Amino acid sequence: MVVKFKTRKRVEEIAPYVLGKSMEDIKTELGLSEIRKLSENENIYGCSPRVKAYLSTGGADIYLYPDGMAQELKNKTSEFFNVRQEQLVFGNGSDEVIRLLTRAYINEGDEAVMADVTFPRYQTNVFLEGGTPVIVPLAEGVHDLKGMLDKITDKTRMVFVCNPNNPTGTINGKAELRNFLESVPSHVLVIVDEAYVEYVTTDDYLHCIPLLDQFDNLIVLRTFSKIYGLAGLRVGFGVMNEEIATQLTKVKDVFNVSRLAQGAAIAAMEDQEFIQQCAAMNEQGRNYLQTEFEKMGLSYFPSQSNFIMVDCGIRGDIAAAGLLRHGIIVRAGTLLGYPTTVRVTIGTEKDNQTFIQGLKQVIAKEKEGSHGN
Ligand SMILES: *Cc1c(COP(=O)(O)O)cnc(C)c1O
């Protein structure tokens, strides 16, 4: 791209973000009456009825700025998660908390260790601040914590652990992660992104919020965008020691979380029954999909989240394009470093069946086609 105005070098080096086509455009283009978006890991069941009730009445005071400290939300969250209010920093999605962390702690030339492939915002934000992302390949779809530890140097400021990992859905076990936390030098911040924690069902999972008082370099990220079903409102948070929280608060926009987002997050947290129901339905869907993959002879990364990455044995982008004609949007692994995979968000029972039927047809058709060549 030719730029007319002198841009910061690091900004110039980043490729523009390419958004997917809108659902409406896809429907029109393919002449489909219904389309299911199983590509972004949102909560397929939406959000709690309590949130809807709040939103139908909570709009009256939007002429007022939101509370920049999100005090009421902080009270609720500190109670619910059993942390001190001073440990909480809310963001316009946990995406913003990642940006606050790099803004506050990455100087030019600093290093940050992260997995490849993982959530891309870690790398982008480190890079934008002039830092150097140090990338350690996943081992069988799982963070190679030993390999990441080996990459820590005097220049390392932070290390990211996405648990469960996006896009592979895998987790690191309890003992392994605990050992990692104990081994990381104390000058390095450890950021554990628990965006999908509510979907975890195994006992071998280390919940990191209760460990915050033991590790003062630990930061845990949570979001209301996934199981809480508020992706469109943008609200997430980090929990960390008071010193780090104070620094992050200095670099955030004053009114970063909207009034409606704060109110909706409170209403969402109050309905844990809804969260438990969604997690239970997700587990059923996950078991169904994994069983079907096994019957089809396809390998997949064992998921502890609300999505699964499956190896289709054909090009992932071709599989995704084929599935689209069945009205299902998935994410091709082609750009994620796994060229023969797709990542699918676990849907309703019907979504999952449609996906499996579609996938079978797409694979059969592609294999038939390639035999003919
Ligand atoms: C979706 C997601 C987030 C959450 O992003 P928000 O900005 O809170 O919507 C954070 N981390 C990971 C790994 C995710 O997949």
Side-chain angles (χ1 to χ4, degrees):
M1 185 171 66
V2 183
V3 292
K4 200 161 123 194
F5 305 102
K6 185 94 189 124
T7 313
R8 277 181 59 208
K9 196 159 172 297
R10 286 274 159 125
V11 176
E12 225 172 88
E13 285 170 21
I14 291 177
Y17 193 82
V18 183
L19 282 168
K21 284 184 195 165
S22 82
M23 309 245 292
E24 283 313 311
D25 284 353
I26 295 172
K27 269 194 211 167
T28 318
E29 227 168 83
L30 296 176
L32 296 165
S33 57
E34 208 202 351
I35 202 157
R36 297 294 286 166
K37 184 169 166 231
L38 302 180
S39 55
E40 303 277 1
N41 309 336
E42 293 131 335
N43 186 345
I44 202 80
Y45 304 104
C47 63
S48 157
R50 290 208 204 186
V51 173
K52 291 176 194 160
Y54 163 77
L55 289 175
S56 66
T57 60
D61 51 7
I62 51 165
Y63 69 99
L64 295 168
Y65 277 109
D67 174 1
M69 295 307 286
Q71 197 52 57
E72 205 183 330
L73 178 55
K74 240 178 221 176
N75 295 345
K76 260 273 173 264
T77 312
S78 81
E79 220 171 87
F80 186 70
F81 290 95
N82 195 22
V83 295
R84 296 179 295 282
Q85 292 184 21
E86 297 75 20
Q87 292 179 283
L88 292 165
V89 177
F90 284 87
N92 191 248
S94 51
D95 246 18
E96 188 192 11
V97 184
I98 298 167
R99 189 156 49 79
L100 299 180
L101 282 161
T102 57
R103 185 87 268 227
Y105 288 99
I106 296 291
N107 275 299
E108 199 157 325
D110 285 346
E111 295 176 357
V113 179
M114 62 196 74
D116 180 37
V117 187
T118 189
F119 193 52
R121 303 305 299 165
Y122 314 144
Q123 180 169 7
T124 308
N125 283 295
V126 167
F127 185 80
L128 267 177
E129 296 296 343
T132 307
V134 175
I135 278 163
V136 180
L138 298 173
E140 306 284 322
V142 181
H143 278 60
D144 173 12
L145 294 181
K146 175 78 183 52
M148 291 173 74
L149 209 50
D150 288 344
K151 292 288 182 191
I152 293 176
T153 68
D154 293 351
K155 290 190 192 161
T156 310
R157 289 274 83 78
M158 50 181 69
V159 29
F160 290 91
V161 179
C162 189
N163 199 38
N165 187 41
N166 182 4
T168 52
T170 54
I171 60 148
N172 287 92
K174 243 182 194 166
E176 194 196 5
L177 184 54
R178 176 149 201 130
N179 188 38
F180 178 79
L181 291 173
E182 281 164 3
S183 311
V184 172
S186 57
H187 73 279
V188 176
L189 301 178
V190 182
I191 298 152
V192 181
D193 187 343
E194 296 187 341
Y196 300 97
V197 63
E198 298 87 356
Y199 291 111
V200 171
T201 53
T202 174
D203 290 335
D204 190 24
Y205 180 82
L206 189 69
H207 289 266
C208 282
I209 289 181
L211 303 177
L212 282 160
D213 283 337
Q214 282 170 65
F215 299 99
D216 65 4
N217 58 340
L218 176 64
I219 292 141
V220 183
L221 301 180
R222 293 290 190 101
T223 182
F224 287 95
S225 297
K226 301 293 155 60
I227 205 166
Y228 284 93
L230 306 184
L233 277 173
R234 316 301 303 123
V235 52
F237 62 98
V239 203
M240 62 208 81
N241 84 50
E242 284 83 347
E243 174 194 314
I244 302 173
T246 304
Q247 301 302 331
L248 297 199
T249 306
K250 286 195 218 165
V251 294
K252 83 171 186 70
D253 288 338
V254 181
F255 303 119
N256 62 330
V257 183
S258 81
R259 183 168 274 279
L260 287 181
Q262 293 185 28
I266 292 170
M269 222 180 323
E270 282 170 347
D271 192 356
Q272 288 301 316
E273 203 185 316
F274 174 78
I275 301 302
Q276 280 163 18
Q277 282 167 359
C278 291
M281 289 186 287
N282 183 72
E283 189 185 10
Q284 275 181 19
R286 194 163 69 195
N287 290 339
Y288 165 77
L289 288 176
Q290 294 187 159
T291 307
E292 289 301 312
F293 295 151
E294 276 157 33
K295 286 194 218 154
M296 291 162 75
L298 303 179
S299 62
Y300 58 87
F301 292 124
S303 171
Q304 283 293 315
S305 62
N306 69 334
F307 55 89
I308 309 183
M309 194 175 229
V310 57
D311 189 338
C312 316
I314 62 170
R315 273 177 46 187
D317 52 349
I318 292 178
L323 282 162
L324 198 52
R325 284 189 287 276
H326 291 263
I328 301 264
I329 314 179
V330 297
R331 181 65 68 90
T334 324
L335 293 176
L336 302 172
Y338 292 97
T340 59
T341 65
V342 297
R343 186 194 67 189
V344 61
T345 304
I346 295 156
T348 62
E349 197 176 341
K350 181 163 167 278
D351 293 335
N352 297 335
Q353 287 167 358
T354 312
F355 166 74
I356 290 292
Q357 281 159 15
L359 185 63
K360 281 181 181 164
Q361 289 179 29
V362 170
I363 292 173
K365 196 167 160 221
E366 184 60 16
K367 293 221 160 134
E368 206 176 278
S370 64
H371 286 313
N373 289 337

